[in-house]
Amino acid sequence: MFGWEYPPHVYGGLATANYGISQGLYAQGDVDITLCLPKPWGDEDRSACRIVAMNSVPIVWRDVEYDYVKGRVGNVMPPESYFYFRDHIYSDFSYMNVNDLGCMEFAGGYPGNLHEEINNYSIIAGVVARSEDFDIIHAHDWLTYPAGIHAKQVSGKPLCIHVHATDFDRSRGHVNPTVFSIEKDGMDAADCIMCVSDLTRQTVINQYHQDPRKVFTVHNAVYPLKQEWQDTPRPDHTDKEKIVTFLGRLTMQKGPEYFVEAANMVLHRTHNVRFCMAGSGDMMDQMIYLAAERGIADRFHFPGFMRGKQVYECLKASDVYVMPSVSEPFGISPLEAMQCGTPSIISKQSGCAEILTNCIKVDYWDIHALADAMYSICHNESLFRYLSEEGKKEVDQITWEKVGAWIRELYIKTLGW
């Protein structure tokens, strides 16, 4: 399995999904996963998979001592793996920029030279695919498609790709031709394409011209809350200022400006509401200015990027969670909010709208409907209680184990077993 990020080092939803899928597959009892990550740190949960640190896989032969290797890579990978991979270097990569172990360094995350890192990762995938014993390849999102294609060419094993988003979602139609061509190559080479929603499946079939017979919908799920997060108390809803929260990247795809405009409408009707816009992104300054222009900056909070416990504390402190995405392939965050007992409003243009019923759905552009929904949940106690209780019951049934069983079925179908 080729992944780009993995908890606890979370840059976006991809890490959460990759973790959930790994755990869901492991729960099937007969799936062994070798997960290749560009730059693991050593503190990842390895209960469901064996992790290969791609920045510790040599592509150029170096004559190095065991103890030296142990000191350098021992916290992320057994030194034995380094020497085993060294025996499977298949070409002269001495022209590449490698370190004293003959390995390529990765920045981790999404650096400025991302395309270079994607290419380097795919080269290393060739060494790993020659060394490992496996039945099937599973590549997550466009960052790892070149690695998946290379591994397929080297091993002859079938390739499954997982489409968590396409560039049509990220760019509101202003597609980056380089990213599009990487996505298209991955889809053309894939034996099985897993999409996180029917919405995404239709994009893959219609915009990338893929055979519908190899494209399947695999909805995401949510993990049960850790006990400490379950035990985080919810402030009393009835006698306090209400808090309405947006939590996500502040980018065009997520529709943050619709949240601000709807908030402005709510504040014309009541002053008893505060708005929290958690996250970071290229539209952050724009949103701060927009709130100021509308004269509502005193009711707005911008706490920045949140992770782990902070996310759940924020969700539990909120009376309403809003995801007004313009194009959201799936969207795990409303499920996390509903787990916390926080009523959610989501756009009809999101994949999770296909499987959720106990939430309010509006068109992302309909700021009147969005404002009405926010106001109603904040001021109608029985609506708040109903969505809080029924929403929690609903998402507790949406598990990664069920997702894992479906993916395993697709593996078997792809392998023709």
Side-chain angles (χ1 to χ4, degrees), residues 45 63 65 128 176 192 201 266 276 290 306 321 337 408 415:
D45 178 350
D63 189 10
E65 296 291 323
V128 176
N176 177 324
C192 170
R201 181 173 183 267
V266 171
C276 170
L290 183 58
M306 291 183 168
Y321 175 76
R408 180 183 177 279
L415 287 160

Side-chain angles (χ1 to χ4, degrees), residues 77-384:
M77 200 170 78
E80 288 79 7
S81 297
Y82 169 87
F83 291 106
Y84 181 65
F85 288 132
R86 193 179 68 173
D87 292 339
H88 290 83
I89 295 170
Y90 60 94
S91 188
D92 179 12
F93 290 114
S94 52
Y95 63 92
M96 299 293 293
N97 187 14
V98 296
N99 62 18
D100 56 336
L101 293 176
C103 304
M104 282 196 268
E105 306 278 357
F106 286 90
Y110 300 90
N113 65 333
L114 183 59
H115 288 280
E116 188 187 330
E117 297 224 328
I118 290 168
N119 184 53
N120 291 348
Y121 179 85
S122 73
I123 289 170
I124 302 164
V127 176
V128 176
R130 274 176 172 73
S131 318
E132 296 290 323
D133 182 24
F134 57 96
D135 298 300
I136 199 159
I137 303 154
H138 192 151
H140 290 284
D141 242 20
W142 68 281
L143 306 139
T144 71
Y145 294 168
I149 293 169
H150 194 179
K152 178 181 177 174
Q153 288 166 341
V154 163
S155 64
K157 300 290 169 66
L159 169 64
C160 295
I161 66 166
H162 212 111
V163 185
H164 297 271
T166 70
D167 212 50
F168 283 89
D169 304 303
R170 289 183 288 266
S171 66
R172 276 201 201 171
H174 302 295
V175 178
N176 177 324
T178 311
V179 176
F180 176 85
S181 72
I182 293 173
E183 290 176 332
K184 177 88 168 75
D185 287 348
M187 293 174 195
D188 290 346
D191 300 280
C192 170
I193 302 174
M194 302 179 192
C195 302
V196 292
S197 60
D198 292 331
L199 192 76
T200 307
R201 181 173 183 267
Q202 291 308 319
T203 303
V204 166
I205 292 167
N206 297 323
Q207 303 287 1
Y208 295 83
H209 314 295
Q210 296 302 308
D211 181 347
R213 290 172 300 181
K214 73 171 187 180
V215 189
F216 301 89
T217 299
V218 180
H219 286 114
N220 282 330
V222 71
Y223 242 81
L225 285 185
K226 287 184 186 174
Q227 196 59 47
E228 60 166 312
W229 296 343
Q230 280 184 37
D231 297 340
T232 304
R234 274 193 74 89
D236 183 26
H237 171 76
T238 46
D239 56 357
K240 68 176 181 71
E241 280 191 314
K242 304 296 189 265
I243 298 172
V244 179
T245 295
F246 170 108
L247 195 152
R249 288 196 321 277
L250 301 186
T251 61
M252 201 163 60
Q253 180 195 346
K254 304 292 182 182
E257 69 272 34
Y258 300 104
F259 179 77
V260 178
E261 296 291 11
N264 184 37
M265 290 178 150
V266 171
L267 289 168
H268 278 130
R269 295 163 70 178
T270 176
H271 209 59
N272 194 31
V273 184
R274 289 189 178 276
F275 294 87
C276 170
M277 200 163 214
S280 57
D282 57 15
M283 287 180 72
M284 185 158 184
D285 289 350
Q286 204 179 323
M287 292 305 100
I288 293 169
Y289 288 129
L290 183 58
E293 271 173 33
R294 296 287 178 267
I296 55 174
D298 61 321
R299 311 303 293 171
F300 253 81
H301 302 265
F302 292 89
F305 185 79
M306 291 183 168
R307 53 166 51 93
K309 191 179 181 188
Q310 295 172 313
V311 170
Y312 293 97
E313 285 173 346
C314 176
L315 292 174
K316 286 212 167 183
S318 304
D319 300 285
V320 187
Y321 175 76
V322 182
M323 186 181 77
S325 295
V326 175
S327 177
E328 186 69 53
F330 186 78
I332 291 178
S333 57
L335 280 70
E336 294 172 332
M338 290 161 76
Q339 274 186 312
C340 295
T342 303
S344 292
I345 304 168
I346 61 177
S347 75
K348 291 176 182 174
Q349 289 73 24
S350 59
C352 62
E354 296 166 10
I355 61 166
L356 293 174
T357 50
N358 291 297
C359 62
I360 294 179
K361 302 171 194 177
V362 299
D363 286 305
Y364 72 86
W365 44 262
D366 193 345
I367 54 175
H368 294 273
L370 182 52
D372 282 344
M374 290 175 176
Y375 184 86
S376 300
I377 296 171
C378 286
H379 291 86
N380 182 331
E381 185 59 35
S382 57
L383 177 62
F384 170 85

Side-chain angles (χ1 to χ4, degrees), residues 338 341 343 358 384-394:
M338 290 161 76
N358 291 297
F384 170 85
R385 208 165 42 245
Y386 177 84
L387 290 174
S388 174
E389 291 166 8
E390 295 303 313
K392 186 171 186 330
K393 277 186 214 162
E394 182 179 14

